[in-house]
Amino acid sequence: MSNNEVLKLYTYVSNEKAQRNKIFLQQNLISLLEQGEKVVHYDKGKTIISDNQFALLTWG
């Protein structure tokens, strides 16, 4: 990484089902799960990520 690049780590915990939200990423995102599943919706479909997978989401 160069001096102007930053690696940020966030911990998010929820025991409740979240509503669908539309987001615009300003940076690339790596999403890891400890348990459960995450559904990522796209314009042309969706991807379901389980706790033994991870997602790489690009900005934009």
Side-chain angles (χ1 to χ4, degrees):
M1 266 191 277
S2 66
N3 290 337
N4 61 352
E5 295 178 14
V6 176
L7 176 64
K8 298 176 185 174
L9 299 174
Y10 296 97
T11 301
Y12 176 79
V13 177
S14 176
N15 294 322
E16 297 179 20
K17 188 174 181 176
Q19 70 181 45
R20 275 178 49 179
N21 292 313
K22 187 173 187 177
I23 62 170
F24 179 80
L25 298 175
Q26 296 186 13
Q27 298 177 356
N28 294 334
L29 173 70
I30 301 172
S31 181
L32 306 169
L33 297 174
E34 288 186 16
Q35 65 183 47
E37 69 178 24
K38 176 188 294 266
V39 180
V40 180
H41 293 266
Y42 302 96
D43 289 337
K44 298 179 182 178
K46 67 181 178 181
T47 300
I48 300 174
I49 303 154
S50 64
D51 54 12
N52 63 349
Q53 300 173 310
F54 62 92
L56 300 171
L57 305 173
T58 58
W59 69 278

